[in-house]
Amino acid sequence: MLAAAAALVLPLSACGSGDAGGGKPTSGPIDIWYSTNEQEQAWAKATVSAWNAEHPKEKVTAKAVPSGKSTEDVVGAAITAGNTPCLVYNTAPAAVAAFQKQGGLVNLSDTFGDAESFIKKRSGGAADGFRSPDGKLYQVPWKTNPFMLYYNKDVFKKAGLDAENPKLSTYDDVLAAAKKIKSSKAAKFTLYPPSTSDYTNALFDFYPLYLANSGGKQLVKDKKATFTSQAGRQTLGFWQQMYAKGYSSPEAYSGDKWAGPFADGVAAMGIAGPWGKGQFDGKVKYGVVPLPTAAGIPADKTSTFADSKNVGLFTSCKHKQTAWEFTKFSMSAKNDAALLEETGQFPTRSDVAAVAGGYLKDNPFYQPFADAVPRAVDVPNVAGSTEVWKTFRTAWEDAVLPGKGDVKSTFDKAAQQIDDQIVG
């Protein structure tokens, strides 16, 4: 997975504070931030250039998110300082509740008369997954990266497994394959997700498989933790076995923690989105299958993690109307198709097949990911989400990562703590 941009916020020219306090949104020059990803930068520069050619009085000035620990830290600090850009094209859904609490995000639903209709028309039912507890939208769904299970064909052949049509649809299938991979020494590990205490790592081991196994149930629903369900315990039990049997490593990888273990041939499988192609091409001969589940849910019904990044429009923006008009321009069918072609990442829209049909025909690798876009689910939009994920990760480190421990009691306790955190 591409690491998030880092950092302590630097003094920047902001959009200003002209109409930040209310009133009718105005038009004029704006600033935006985009990801540090090279392909996204190319897309952003082309999009901004096209806009500026047509709107000389509403010029957009764009730059990459300043470097530092994380994009979320950068934006949070900028909100506090009052110098955010108008738009950030790298807004993590998990951070929206915190940004909203800081008073940093514009209530799009109430500010722009066409916000609801535009977002619903483009993103369909997926838009509702990004609503805040008050039912309003404070983020524009932008792009999604449905996770799949990548596997190393050469490793599978060496282990005596079918490399073209692997049996990997159930947890038992994966465990059986892992046993052969280990005994044959075809690879050191079967799966090697990030194993540090960083709470966001839950999004790259437990959460994708839980979403698949539970039919897309988020970690929290109706202010209650959901992972103590049968589906949750099945997924937790699967991962505990992976660590107990040495099929996964509890140690942090010494190289790139996202792509490294699979790209380096250390792990036989990897969990990644469509961006994996760019990470793994030329390094590993790979195949892709849907995420496994306890019972083997059919591919066309298997949910997955969306790993979305959205667009936030910030309250310090002086010219919010231009920011909103540029947002819609950047998410036109033409620019959304360009996003996919330039970055390999999917726009969060319900008509992906129609918008990018030609590209998908010429690049069949992406078709399974396109098919999964409607079933891709993101993190719950709840207050205190950082603490929620930290609580979950602590329980994971206590009872899953060591390969031993009482999963039921540990996660029952974590669920109660999370319920209290949400209520609070």
Side-chain angles (χ1 to χ4, degrees), residues 105-377:
L105 288 169
V106 171
N107 178 338
L108 303 169
S109 300
D110 291 347
T111 303
F112 305 105
D114 61 343
E116 286 284 339
S117 59
F118 172 78
I119 293 172
K120 287 178 183 177
K121 182 178 179 180
R122 178 175 176 269
S123 300
D128 290 334
F130 297 111
R131 291 187 183 277
S132 291
D134 63 2
K136 308 295 185 179
L137 286 164
Y138 293 77
Q139 57 187 315
V140 185
W142 178 41
K143 62 173 184 167
T144 185
N145 289 279
F147 276 23
M148 298 278 179
L149 185 67
Y150 287 71
Y151 67 95
N152 186 318
K153 291 186 175 182
D154 290 334
V155 167
F156 270 53
K157 287 179 182 177
K158 186 176 179 180
L161 298 165
D162 189 334
E164 298 305 322
N165 296 289
K167 189 177 180 183
L168 295 171
S169 64
T170 70
Y171 292 161
D172 286 343
D173 290 340
V174 175
L175 289 166
K179 184 177 181 179
K180 287 190 174 183
I181 291 165
K182 183 177 182 179
S183 63
S184 66
K185 298 182 180 180
K188 191 171 183 180
F189 298 102
T190 296
L191 268 170
Y192 202 143
S195 299
T196 65
S197 59
D198 185 336
Y199 68 92
T200 62
N201 288 338
L203 304 180
F204 307 101
D205 43 39
F206 172 78
Y207 199 50
L209 268 63
Y210 174 58
L211 288 171
N213 197 43
S214 66
K217 186 171 292 185
Q218 292 181 316
L219 192 80
V220 171
K221 185 175 176 60
D222 299 327
K223 296 186 177 181
K224 295 288 184 181
T226 66
F227 51 79
T228 56
S229 64
Q230 181 184 18
R233 290 188 177 125
Q234 287 170 333
T235 303
L236 290 165
F238 164 76
W239 277 111
Q240 188 184 55
Q241 288 186 70
M242 290 293 289
Y243 286 107
K245 297 177 184 297
Y247 302 153
S248 293
S249 173
E251 302 298 327
Y253 190 64
S254 59
D256 182 332
K257 71 174 182 177
W258 303 115
F262 184 72
D264 296 344
V266 174
M269 304 180 206
I271 299 170
W275 46 264
K277 187 177 190 302
Q279 299 282 308
F280 307 141
D281 275 355
K283 300 176 182 178
V284 177
K285 187 177 180 181
Y286 57 82
V288 176
V289 296
L291 297 175
T293 60
I297 297 172
D300 63 353
K301 297 185 184 303
T302 301
S303 298
T304 186
F305 179 46
D307 190 27
S308 304
K309 288 294 186 294
N310 295 334
V311 175
L313 199 167
F314 291 84
T315 51
S316 64
C317 178
K318 182 178 180 181
H319 298 302
K320 294 183 179 65
Q321 189 61 45
T322 296
W324 175 240
E325 296 302 327
F326 178 78
T327 298
K328 293 187 291 183
F329 174 84
S330 71
M331 297 183 192
S332 67
K334 178 181 177 180
N335 285 323
D336 276 345
L339 177 72
L340 174 58
E341 294 173 15
E342 187 71 45
T343 70
Q345 301 180 73
F346 285 85
T348 308
R349 55 187 305 148
S350 55
D351 59 349
V352 168
V355 169
Y359 180 77
L360 294 173
K361 183 177 180 181
D362 294 338
N363 298 271
F365 167 81
Y366 292 109
Q367 189 62 58
F369 295 93
D371 294 341
V373 167
R375 300 185 303 279
V377 181

Side-chain angles (χ1 to χ4, degrees), residues 33-78:
W33 287 349
Y34 49 72
S35 169
T36 57
N37 175 286
E38 184 178 346
Q39 292 75 27
E40 283 186 50
Q41 289 190 39
W43 172 85
K45 289 175 181 178
T47 303
V48 168
S49 178
W51 168 272
N52 286 342
E54 297 177 10
H55 303 83
K57 294 183 179 180
E58 300 170 285
K59 183 179 178 181
V60 174
T61 300
K63 62 180 68 176
V65 176
S67 61
K69 183 180 178 182
S70 73
T71 296
E72 292 70 42
D73 284 353
V74 170
V75 175

